[in-house]
Amino acid sequence: MADVRREQWNDAAIRVNQIGFSTGLSKAFSSQVVSGNFEVIDADTNECVLVGTTSPASEDEAAGVRVSLGRLDGLDTPGRYRIRMKNGVESPIFAIAERPYQAVKLALLRNFYFQRCGMELEERYAGPWKHAACHLDHGIIHGDDPSIRRRTAGGWHDAGDYGKYIVAAAKAVADLMLAYEAYPAAFQESVNIPESGNGVPDILNETRYELEWMLLLQREDGAVYHKITTYEFPGLHVMPEDDAAALVFSPVSFTAAGTFAASMAMAARVFAPFDEPFAADCREAAERAWQWMENTESFERVSFRNPRDVKTGEYGDQNVIDEHYWAAAELYRLTGDRTYLIKAEKLVQSGGFPLCELGWRDVGGYGTIALLYALRDAGDRTAMELRERLTEQWIMRADELLDLSKRNGFGVSLIQDQYKWGSNMIVMNNGMHLLIAAELMKDSDIRQQYLEAAAQQWHYLLGCNVLGICYITGYGYNSVMHPHHRPSIADSVPQPVPGIVAGGPNLGLNDTAAAALLIGRAPMACYIDHEDSYSTNENTIYWNSPAVYVAAALDCLNR
């Protein structure tokens, strides 16, 4: 079902972050039909508290409109406000507060609980979105003796379907662990999950639920099964506990082993202060996966391909060098063993992959982050030169993103062909990149510009975009209502599960709903809030995870 409110909001002139703005941080809005003078009105007193002028209007090809950007940085008093343009057009009311993003940050994190597989979601934790335990059967191994069955229950459903995939899981847990390490103060509150109150931050409690499932997919020789799914996707109106089709482990893959080794090495480091035995298990699993990778012949290091009778998500990847790099970097950061550093440096020198990407397919950025931190106090020349090279690459990319953000009327850092499947992940990945660049350049004047650009990516996600839609369910005055998410469709609850990040605009129009309803739209407008539009309106764990990172940063920077 599509939401008729979309067209009404498309006529509005002013786009803002619908949750509001934080004191002390960058504040900006976009005007789509007029530029020039504006004033900000206190919504409670009706007094003008700020006057300003937008940038000159310019054509935004990706958005298909003329747009100008206005800044509100002179306004820092908590309250409720609206913007009035010179032609009398007004924005909806928005807030300025000390911690406006606290609730949405927790909702983004809490959404991983709603994705849990293999356990009952009880009403005291899940509210009206409760449901029975699901996918408790053991699964067979594709191509092996069908009488041999392995445990499958646990972890998170990957997306709007019920499959579970290692390469997707690895990105998601990596983002969450990085968020915790960078902003621990942002994760002091309870998320109200079954483990809350056990002395471990809930972001790590939730991450561990996925990690324990990932451990189930490691074979005795160290190899890792690529995924566990049914043979085909279930229907849209099937609740997880009603999905009773046979479960099958797809074959092992090099990319699964690499991302598994890397994320387990991260877990061994992050969980050591809380649970040394679990951390030791993660380290042992990471090292076994690494050894399997090292013993794998080069001709076997190929992209995963679905078996013919398995029709679920493939998560194939033609380039497997970056997974090898990430694993080497994380194992070096964990152990200090220079064997791993030598391997990582050799892979960097090969130039066979991008060093700064943070996707599920291109994971080189995670290896770079690991080395940037591991080599902070490097004493030998070779290690120092490697860190300098990686820092230069990271900052060069951050400058590109900063320039894109400054030149865009909505402050977003996408180029036109990046409005593709999962474009909102790219926006949040870019936000992560800019925030890490700000940390690397914390003693430089450019740090503040990186922070402001990161905030602009967040504003885009929460409503400062051509459609005026907040892409997080349950938040904002015009948020996603009909995600391609089976539990949200199949349950009897009118509201979707909260805290979902929708995939966002996709000029590829890769599903029938998008192809029928979005033809001729500008790239940024190629989104529809329709349950059938899996290519624009589905969720994934690895779209939520970078959003958690960005939300945590912006929630924490004032504290």
Side-chain angles (χ1 to χ4, degrees):
M1 177 183 294
D3 194 329
V4 296
R5 296 177 306 157
R6 295 299 166 258
E7 294 304 321
Q8 297 170 2
W9 285 107
N10 286 350
D11 293 334
I14 300 173
R15 306 298 195 213
V16 296
N17 183 322
Q18 294 175 17
I19 292 179
F21 301 97
S22 178
T23 56
L25 295 180
S26 172
K27 307 171 187 67
F29 69 92
S30 296
S31 174
Q32 293 184 198
V33 297
V34 66
S35 61
N37 297 333
F38 67 87
E39 55 185 3
V40 180
I41 308 299
D42 186 309
D44 296 318
T45 66
N46 210 33
E47 296 179 355
C48 176
V49 296
L50 181 74
V51 295
T53 304
T54 69
S55 65
S58 60
E59 191 71 27
D60 188 312
E61 292 185 8
V65 297
R66 289 178 62 80
V67 62
S68 59
L69 192 69
R71 305 199 67 85
L72 307 175
D73 294 335
L75 183 64
D76 217 35
T77 303
R80 301 187 319 125
Y81 303 92
R82 64 180 182 274
I83 300 160
R84 180 184 296 155
M85 299 299 297
K86 64 182 181 180
N87 63 350
V89 173
E90 295 187 349
S91 74
I93 292 173
F94 61 90
I96 293 178
E98 290 186 1
R99 294 187 67 192
Y101 309 132
Q102 181 183 19
V104 69
K105 172 200 67 181
L106 294 176
L108 288 165
L109 177 56
R110 183 172 169 74
N111 187 257
F112 289 92
Y113 169 75
F114 288 113
Q115 293 293 108
R116 285 193 186 187
C117 177
M119 69 176 293
E120 177 187 0
L121 301 193
E122 301 177 53
E123 186 172 4
R124 58 177 167 162
Y125 304 115
W129 299 282
K130 64 184 185 297
H131 66 73
C134 61
H135 304 102
L136 299 176
D137 290 345
H138 284 30
I140 66 169
I141 302 166
H142 194 277
D144 282 6
D145 183 347
S147 67
I148 300 174
R149 305 179 72 83
R150 294 176 66 106
R151 180 184 162 197
T152 70
W156 303 318
H157 299 139
D158 171 67
D161 60 90
Y162 303 132
K164 296 180 289 188
Y165 309 81
I166 285 291
V167 294
K171 171 178 167 48
V173 297
D175 290 340
L176 296 184
M177 288 188 283
L178 287 171
Y180 170 72
E181 288 191 301
Y183 309 104
F187 300 106
Q188 296 175 351
E189 304 99 333
S190 169
V191 184
N192 188 33
I193 56 178
E195 300 82 3
S196 294
N198 66 355
V200 178
D202 277 346
I203 188 171
L204 298 186
N205 282 323
E206 194 58 65
T207 301
R208 180 167 178 165
Y209 192 81
E210 180 78 340
L211 290 167
E212 289 179 341
W213 166 78
M214 292 173 70
L215 288 169
L216 297 178
L217 268 72
Q218 185 171 40
R219 210 165 61 183
E220 289 69 17
D221 63 353
V224 181
Y225 294 106
H226 194 76
K227 62 178 181 175
I228 175 72
T229 68
T230 51
Y231 285 90
E232 296 183 357
F233 292 122
L236 266 182
H237 292 79
V238 176
M239 286 294 287
E241 64 267 34
D242 297 326
D243 181 24
L247 296 166
V248 58
F249 289 86
S250 287
V252 301
S253 72
F254 194 83
T255 52
T259 54
F260 176 94
S263 52
M264 285 298 160
M266 290 183 72
R269 184 184 74 252
V270 173
F271 282 85
F274 302 99
D275 189 334
E276 289 187 4
F278 178 67
D281 288 345
C282 292
R283 173 171 176 163
E284 190 272 338
E287 290 174 336
R288 282 201 296 128
W290 173 266
Q291 195 58 54
W292 179 86
M293 295 169 67
E294 289 292 275
N295 293 337
T296 302
E297 298 289 346
S298 58
F299 68 86
E300 296 178 299
R301 299 177 184 181
V302 296
S303 177
F304 173 82
R305 287 289 179 263
N306 265 340
R308 289 186 179 180
D309 53 347
V310 176
K311 309 298 182 184
T312 51
E314 188 168 73
Y315 285 95
D317 185 355
Q318 295 294 333
N319 189 352
V320 303
I321 303 173
D322 50 331
E323 285 80 10
H324 209 172
Y325 168 64
W326 183 20
E330 293 291 357
L331 280 161
Y332 172 69
R333 187 178 182 190
L334 172 66
T335 68
D337 185 337
R338 290 188 65 85
T339 302
Y340 298 119
L341 180 60
I342 292 168
K343 173 67 76 171
E345 183 182 19
K346 181 179 179 181
L347 293 170
V348 169
Q349 297 295 340
S350 76
F353 62 95
L355 288 168
C356 297
E357 289 297 314
L358 298 171
W360 65 262
R361 178 182 284 114
D362 295 317
V363 298
Y366 293 102
T368 296
I369 292 169
L371 291 180
L372 287 172
Y373 287 112
L375 298 174
R376 276 183 294 193
D377 300 318
D380 67 275
R381 182 172 181 176
T382 301
M384 290 174 63
E385 289 177 350
L386 176 59
R387 189 177 193 276
E388 288 174 1
R389 174 178 177 177
L390 295 177
T391 301
E392 180 182 357
Q393 290 290 316
W394 199 270
I395 296 305
M396 184 184 305
R397 178 59 180 154
D399 288 342
E400 292 172 356
L401 297 175
L402 177 61
D403 181 62
L404 287 169
S405 180
K406 285 182 175 181
R407 290 191 288 109
N408 185 272
F410 297 97
V412 71
S413 57
L414 298 182
I415 59 176
Q416 190 154 324
D417 64 2
Q418 287 181 315
Y419 292 95
K420 57 185 180 180
W421 204 323
S423 62
N424 283 341
M425 177 197 72
I426 303 174
V427 175
M428 289 296 95
N429 285 350
N430 290 350
M432 280 185 64
H433 189 110
L434 288 159
L435 289 163
I436 293 168
E439 174 63 21
L440 293 173
M441 303 295 287
K442 60 184 177 182
D443 297 325
S444 169
D445 292 340
I446 202 170
R447 175 180 183 271
Q448 189 61 32
Q449 294 187 56
Y450 291 152
L451 293 177
E452 290 181 1
Q456 281 299 130
Q457 311 317 301
W458 179 243
H459 299 334
Y460 170 90
L461 191 74
L462 272 71
C464 191
N465 52 66
V466 72
L467 297 177
I469 185 170
C470 176
Y471 285 113
I472 303 175
T473 57
Y475 288 84
Y477 46 78
N478 184 42
S479 61
V480 174
M481 286 294 295
H482 307 288
H484 182 87
H485 177 245
R486 282 163 176 78
S488 293
I489 296 168
D491 65 20
S492 59
V493 184
Q495 300 294 322
V497 170
I500 286 173
V501 175
N506 175 13
L507 57 80
L509 307 183
N510 298 113
D511 60 70
T512 56
L517 300 170
L518 298 176
I519 191 72
R521 298 284 185 96
M524 195 189 292
C526 285
Y527 166 84
I528 185 168
D529 187 8
H530 196 298
E531 66 185 33
D532 290 334
S533 185
Y534 51 82
S535 72
T536 75
N537 206 31
E538 193 170 5
N539 64 302
T540 75
I541 55 175
Y542 54 88
W543 297 341
N544 261 65
S545 57
V548 170
Y549 188 105
V550 175
L554 298 180
D555 181 49
C556 203
L557 287 176
N558 266 352
R559 301 176 69 184

